[in-house]
């Protein structure tokens, strides 16, 4: 059995959550908002993600939708500075696009009551990129408080960046963390960095409040230089980083006056997210091993 198949079993996820605790804020919304409150105190904002993806049953997608409605209500009660991120396969995209859009629209309408009404649509594997962007555009026609994630390693992304700039959509740009074939994605890291910077520069110059999501200090430094050289103010974009990853860099960016938003995942279905974190950076696997030793 493959590693991912093992860690996705309910028994494993119930017994071994301590492995993921560096990267996952908790199993409940209250635990996640405690983490957000601590980030806020350090000068950072957040986006909360209720973990789960690849839903194939309508009732499960509806439960996930309802969990987001409860989360939005809890954010209002706690008064923390955060918005939310959703995966459309968790909203039922693999069941039916219209169904996923209806669930997303319910969340968008409820989020409009929050101090930060923005909803980020996470990008998943390339098999659903087209469908994700179609649903996004339908949602964007309903409200501007929604924006997609684009993955720099996909060969289609420069065209998608131009489309989002033309629409005036708020984009979160990241490298990409899903295993993709060379037909659709660049595999060499120097090429991925080049593509990431090319897209970041287009978004910084012509986009609407882009989010540059990276832990790569070379990309961060290049973005800082580009913004400075072009006279792009620090209020016109934000950096984004993942919960538990490079907290030293997070604090440095805040100290230097940049806006920083931390992606804060929570929930019991943490296996897929955790697996991507430990496979994309070897040092993340070491953090997980230290958790075992410390017990």
């Amino acid at each position: 059995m493959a590693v991912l198949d093992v860690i996705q079993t309910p028994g494993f996820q119930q017994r071994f959550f301590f492995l993921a605790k560096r990267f996952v804020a908790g199993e409940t919304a209250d635990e996640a908002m405690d983490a957000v409150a601590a980030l806020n105190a350090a000068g950072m904002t957040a986006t909360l993600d209720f973990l789960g993806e690849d839903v194939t049953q309508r009732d499960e997608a509806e439960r996930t939708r309802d969990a987001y409605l409860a989360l939005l209500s809890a954010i209002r009660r706690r008064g923390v500075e955060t918005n939310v991120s959703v995966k459309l396969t968790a909203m039922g995209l693999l069941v039916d696009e219209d169904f996923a859009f209806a669930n997303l629209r319910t969340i968008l309408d409820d989020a409009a009551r929050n101090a930060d009404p923005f909803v980020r649509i996470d990008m998943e594997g390339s098999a659903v990129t087209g469908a994700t962007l179609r649903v996004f555009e339908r949602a964007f026609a309903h409200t501007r408080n929604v924006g997609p994630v684009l993955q720099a390693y996909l060969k289609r992304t420069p065209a998608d960046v131009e489309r989002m700039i033309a629409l005036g959509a708020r984009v979160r740009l990241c490298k990409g963390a899903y295993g993709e074939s060379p037909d659709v994605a660049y595999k060499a890291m120097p090429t991925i960095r080049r593509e990431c910077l090319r897209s970041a520069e287009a978004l910084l110059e012509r986009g609407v409040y882009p989010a540059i999501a990276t832990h790569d200090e070379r990309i961060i430094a290049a973005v800082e230089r580009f913004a400075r050289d072009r006279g792009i103010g620090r209020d016109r974009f934000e950096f984004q980083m993942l919960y538990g990853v490079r907290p030293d860099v997070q604090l440095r960016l805040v100290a230097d006056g940049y806006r920083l938003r931390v992606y804060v995942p929570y929930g019991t279905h943490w296996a897929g997210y955790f697996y991507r974190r430990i496979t994309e950076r070897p040092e993340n696997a070491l953090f997980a091993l230290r958790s075992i030793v410390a017990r």
Side-chain angles (χ1 to χ4, degrees), residues 195-263:
E195 293 299 311
C196 188
L197 282 171
R198 179 195 299 178
S199 291
E201 289 171 0
L203 289 164
L204 287 164
E205 279 203 306
R206 297 182 285 117
V208 175
Y209 195 69
I212 311 303
T214 183
H215 309 98
D216 188 323
E217 293 190 76
R218 280 171 284 190
I219 293 177
I220 291 170
V223 167
E224 290 177 299
R225 285 194 302 272
F226 183 84
R228 183 174 59 251
D229 293 346
R230 297 300 195 280
I232 298 169
R234 296 179 185 184
D235 60 338
R236 287 176 50 191
F237 68 98
E238 67 185 26
F239 286 108
Q240 292 193 3
M241 301 182 77
L242 301 175
Y243 182 76
V245 180
R246 300 306 306 271
D248 56 329
V249 179
Q250 294 177 18
L251 291 170
R252 194 272 295 174
L253 286 169
V254 171
D256 287 347
Y258 289 97
R259 295 182 176 185
L260 181 74
R261 186 177 302 274
V262 179
Y263 182 94

Side-chain angles (χ1 to χ4, degrees), residues 2-286:
V3 172
L4 183 56
D5 292 333
V6 172
I7 67 175
Q8 283 183 321
T9 61
F12 186 96
Q13 294 190 78
Q14 290 169 7
R15 293 173 57 200
F16 292 97
F17 177 70
F18 67 89
L19 291 173
K21 284 191 72 172
R22 181 182 179 92
F23 311 111
V24 179
E27 295 186 280
T28 69
D30 282 339
E31 289 173 316
M33 281 188 290
D34 288 343
V36 170
L39 292 168
N40 291 168
M44 307 172 199
T45 55
T47 185
L48 278 166
D49 176 58
F50 179 61
L51 290 169
E53 55 194 285
D54 296 335
V55 170
T56 58
Q57 300 297 320
R58 284 179 177 264
D59 59 346
E60 186 176 354
E62 289 166 347
R63 285 195 297 271
T64 302
R65 176 203 63 201
D66 292 346
Y68 270 98
L69 298 179
L71 173 62
L72 289 165
S73 177
I75 291 170
R76 290 191 288 272
R77 288 196 307 273
R78 290 283 297 265
V80 291
E81 293 182 62
T82 186
N83 54 38
V84 299
S85 294
V86 303
K87 288 182 172 62
L88 289 186
T89 64
M91 295 291 105
L93 185 64
L94 301 181
V95 178
D96 179 75
E97 278 190 34
D98 290 340
F99 175 61
F101 171 69
N103 286 331
L104 174 63
R105 182 165 174 171
T106 298
I107 291 169
L108 289 168
D109 289 345
D110 196 72
R113 302 164 58 196
N114 284 35
D116 184 347
F118 190 76
V119 175
R120 180 71 69 191
I121 299 177
D122 282 339
M123 190 56 73
E124 304 176 66
S126 64
V128 295
T129 298
T132 298
L133 291 176
R134 283 195 301 271
V135 173
F136 156 71
E137 290 205 24
R138 291 176 67 183
F140 193 67
H142 174 65
T143 175
R144 292 299 181 102
N145 290 321
V146 62
V149 176
L150 296 179
Q151 300 177 109
Y153 71 164
L154 293 183
K155 295 178 179 180
R156 62 172 288 165
T157 292
D160 290 332
V161 166
E162 291 303 318
R163 173 64 177 164
M164 295 304 114
I165 289 172
L167 286 173
R170 283 173 56 181
V171 171
R172 177 183 194 259
L173 178 70
C174 66
K175 285 180 180 174
Y178 290 82
E180 301 287 0
S181 75
D183 293 339
V184 299
Y186 298 106
K187 309 299 282 187
M189 188 53 66
T191 305
I192 295 170
R193 285 196 183 97
R194 181 197 70 205
E195 293 299 311
C196 188
L197 282 171
R198 179 195 299 178
S199 291
E201 289 171 0
L203 289 164
L204 287 164
E205 279 203 306
R206 297 182 285 117
V208 175
Y209 195 69
I212 311 303
T214 183
H215 309 98
D216 188 323
E217 293 190 76
R218 280 171 284 190
I219 293 177
I220 291 170
V223 167
E224 290 177 299
R225 285 194 302 272
F226 183 84
R228 183 174 59 251
D229 293 346
R230 297 300 195 280
I232 298 169
R234 296 179 185 184
D235 60 338
R236 287 176 50 191
F237 68 98
E238 67 185 26
F239 286 108
Q240 292 193 3
M241 301 182 77
L242 301 175
Y243 182 76
V245 180
R246 300 306 306 271
D248 56 329
V249 179
Q250 294 177 18
L251 291 170
R252 194 272 295 174
L253 286 169
V254 171
D256 287 347
Y258 289 97
R259 295 182 176 185
L260 181 74
R261 186 177 302 274
V262 179
Y263 182 94
V264 180
Y266 76 97
T268 57
H269 297 287
W270 50 266
Y273 178 85
F274 173 66
Y275 182 75
R276 289 191 291 275
R277 298 293 77 77
I278 63 173
T279 54
E280 68 187 351
R281 289 175 63 90
E283 55 264 48
N284 289 345
L286 293 176

